[in-house]
């Protein structure tokens, strides 16, 4: 199989050696010609956003930290010119303005998973509540706080490297569900401890993320009271992530930052199985059309989405098939086989896929901390690697000088103090 792969030999060699790579998506299309190929559209994202608004009064009660935002789970968009200068000094300049999307600060889960994970649990909850007539039209969803007993007869489970488990587990447990998280070997101990402290059942596996998901899927089979959140195939997770695009548009408008023909928007998002960056990219292309350019960033040892896209094989190829380990310090990105569902949708939408070494990740964590005082987990710093691709001239578009680059910081907000200290130590502080 390896020998017959339909992928440029040079790229394959670089991937195998664990060198940082860039793959430009040759199948990208204009939004107009992409639309007929997509299974869902802007309408479904707007529907998801409306659902999140209906649940806001309930979230506000369950999670006091969302009171200020009236129960809406959103994160700031922050200019980080100090980081842009720092990258410049490291020889990796970013064109135009550099912004950081602070999903490490998202309430409930402290990571991008709060978007998709919370949304899917709420959607399932709405369905259960409506079906069992616990929710009448026009009633505030806050009444669902009293339905713990009903929810306790239902199980919600998920397979995860950590953060999705935290999002699904905490949200499900808060509503009263039995929550089960199947964790892969690379999941961090503190993430398991955190979940258990919320009353979530954590099942640990020796295997990787793909096998944890498979085991979880298996245990849920055939039980109508057991809902399995399928990270590899879930449309609902995808739509939940997609809502980020509507929110980002508002934030850019409030900052008077144009996105149009002469003002391109570049967005770099860390990628594991592909759901989070895929959903966000899908939303952004719907909202900004052809003026937004989205890039997925993966560890050099786990470039599953890049490999799936470059070969066109998607979920039918794994990084182990080309001799990579799939092991990385970026636990949220330690995925060996991509979501085929997401990969297919990304064909006409994404601009490029790139990789970064673990060493590179830690360096970005360090630069961000030293220049802006922001500490994110190593997975979450991957987006900065786009600066390498841009400064090496591997990708460019017209009007780059007017560009706005958004680096998506995807997690780290819930790191316990001793883990923060450990991370600080590993970057020399
Ligand atoms: C899960 C995760 C990602 C990537 O999301 P996928 O849906 O797995 O592609 C990125 N960063 C962090 C911190 C994550 O936890």
């Amino acid at each position: 199989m390896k020998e017959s792969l339909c992928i440029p030999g040079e790229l394959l060699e670089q991937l195998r050696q664990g060198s940082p790579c860039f793959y430009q998506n040759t199948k990208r299309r204009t939004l107009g010609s992409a639309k007929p190929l997509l299974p869902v559209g802007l309408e479904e994202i707007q529907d998801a956003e409306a659902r999140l608004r209906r649940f806001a009064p309930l979230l506000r009660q369950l999670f006091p930290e969302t009171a200020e935002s009236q129960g809406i789970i959103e994160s700031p968009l922050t200019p980080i010119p100090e980081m842009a200068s720092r990258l410049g000094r490291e020889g990796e300049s970013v064109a135009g303005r550099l912004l950081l999307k602070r999903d490490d600060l998202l309430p409930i889960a402290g990571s991008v998973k709060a978007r998709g994970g919370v949304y899917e649990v709420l959607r399932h909850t709405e369905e259960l509540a409506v079906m069992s007539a616990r929710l009448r039209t026009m009633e505030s969803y806050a009444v669902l706080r009293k339905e713990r007993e009903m929810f306790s007869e239902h199980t919600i489970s998920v397979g995860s490297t950590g953060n999705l488990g935290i999002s699904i587990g905490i949200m499900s447990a808060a509503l009263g569900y039995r929550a089960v998280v199947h964790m892969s070997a690379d999941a961090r101990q503190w993430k398991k401890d955190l979940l258990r402290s919320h009353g979530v059942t954590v099942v640990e596996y020796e295997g990787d993320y793909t096998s944890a998901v498979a085991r979880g899927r298996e245990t849920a089979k055939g039980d109508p009271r057991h809902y399995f959140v399928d990270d590899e195939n879930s449309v609902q997770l995808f739509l939940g992530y997609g809502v980020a695009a509507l929110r980002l548009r508002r934030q850019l408008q409030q900052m008077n930052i144009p996105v149009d023909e002469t003002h391109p928007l570049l967005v770099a998002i860390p990628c594991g199985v592909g759901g989070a960056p895929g959903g966000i990219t899908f939303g952004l292309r719907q909202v900004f059309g052809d003026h937004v350019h989205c890039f997925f960033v993966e560890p050099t040892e786990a470039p599953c989405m890049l490999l799936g896209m470059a070969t066109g094989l998607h979920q039918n190829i794994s990084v182990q098939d080309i001799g990579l380990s799939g092991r990385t310090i970026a636990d949220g990105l330690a995925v060996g086989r991509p979501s085929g569902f997401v990969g297919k949708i990304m064909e006409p939408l994404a601009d490029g896929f790139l990789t970064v070494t673990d060493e590179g990740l830690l360096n970005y964590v360090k630069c961000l901390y030293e220049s802006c005082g922001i500490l994110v987990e190593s997975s979450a710093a991957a987006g900065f690697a786009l600066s390498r691709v841009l400064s090496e001239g591997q990708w460019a578009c017209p009007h780059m000088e007017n560009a706005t680059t958004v680096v998506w910081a995807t997690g780290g907000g819930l790191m316990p103090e001793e883990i923060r200290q450990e991370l600080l130590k590993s970057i020399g502080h």
Side-chain angles (χ1 to χ4, degrees), residues 13-24:
E13 206 35 53
Q14 275 184 317
L15 283 171
R16 279 183 171 152
Q17 285 170 0
S19 319
C21 298
F22 175 66
Y23 171 69
Q24 181 163 356

Side-chain angles (χ1 to χ4, degrees), residues 7 11-18 21 303 306-307 322 324:
I7 173 176
L11 176 63
L12 182 61
E13 206 35 53
Q14 275 184 317
L15 283 171
R16 279 183 171 152
Q17 285 170 0
C21 298
L306 188 157
L307 187 62
I322 62 162
L324 294 173

Side-chain angles (χ1 to χ4, degrees), residues 45-62:
I45 297 180
Q46 286 164 336
D47 178 59
E49 196 191 30
R51 183 164 292 107
L52 288 169
R53 265 200 303 272
R54 293 199 288 278
F55 271 102
L58 177 66
L59 290 186
R60 197 185 157 156
Q61 288 190 11
L62 293 174

Side-chain angles (χ1 to χ4, degrees), residues 63-259:
F63 301 99
E65 70 265 34
T66 64
E68 207 177 314
S69 60
Q70 318 293 336
I72 295 296
I73 302 165
E74 198 38 75
S75 76
L77 181 62
T78 315
I80 44 167
E82 304 85 356
M83 179 64 173
S85 321
R86 174 69 185 255
L87 287 169
R89 286 201 297 280
E90 307 258 323
E92 297 190 6
S93 55
V94 191
R97 193 181 340 223
L98 181 62
L99 304 175
L100 190 65
K101 184 61 178 153
R102 299 288 313 269
D103 273 8
D104 57 309
L105 297 181
L106 279 183
I108 304 178
S111 83
V112 66
K113 303 296 195 310
R115 299 184 182 280
V118 168
Y119 175 72
E120 181 152 3
V121 172
L122 296 180
R123 194 193 122 108
H124 177 61
T125 299
E126 185 178 64
E127 201 165 81
L128 280 183
V130 169
M131 265 179 359
S132 59
R134 307 295 164 105
L135 198 57
R136 283 165 201 86
T137 355
M138 306 309 291
E139 203 166 33
S140 165
Y141 279 33
V143 298
L144 293 177
R145 221 184 152 176
K146 302 194 195 84
E147 300 294 345
R148 295 187 66 86
E149 202 174 319
M150 176 184 72
F151 294 135
S152 73
E153 290 166 12
H154 293 262
T155 303
I156 296 184
S157 68
V158 66
S160 170
T161 60
N163 286 341
L164 185 62
I166 290 177
S167 167
I168 303 276
I170 293 181
M171 187 63 240
S172 303
L175 285 162
Y177 289 102
R178 267 199 303 259
V180 181
V181 177
H182 301 269
M183 286 254 193
S184 54
D186 28 56
R188 295 290 167 88
Q189 188 58 43
W190 71 265
K191 294 184 179 177
K192 300 176 193 169
D193 296 342
L194 175 69
L195 279 171
R196 290 188 172 121
S197 77
H198 281 261
V200 174
T201 303
V202 178
V203 188
E204 299 177 58
Y205 294 102
E206 291 296 322
D208 67 358
Y209 160 86
T210 308
S211 58
V213 172
R215 294 286 290 276
R217 196 184 283 130
E218 202 53 41
T219 59
K221 229 182 202 161
D223 181 353
R225 289 174 180 264
H226 191 151
Y227 184 86
F228 179 69
V229 176
D230 194 331
D231 198 13
E232 288 176 341
N233 300 295
S234 171
V235 181
Q236 300 312 327
L237 270 179
F238 189 76
L239 292 173
Y241 289 127
V243 171
L246 303 176
R247 309 270 178 79
L248 190 78
R249 172 168 61 185
R250 266 171 235 143
Q251 287 178 319
L252 288 169
Q253 278 166 353
Q254 279 161 8
M255 294 166 84
N256 291 316
I257 297 176
V259 178

Side-chain angles (χ1 to χ4, degrees), residues 302-320:
C304 65
M305 191 50 81
L306 188 157
L307 187 62
M309 297 297 294
T311 56
L313 290 174
H314 301 298
Q315 79 280 16
N316 296 317
I317 188 165
S318 79
V319 302
Q320 285 81 11

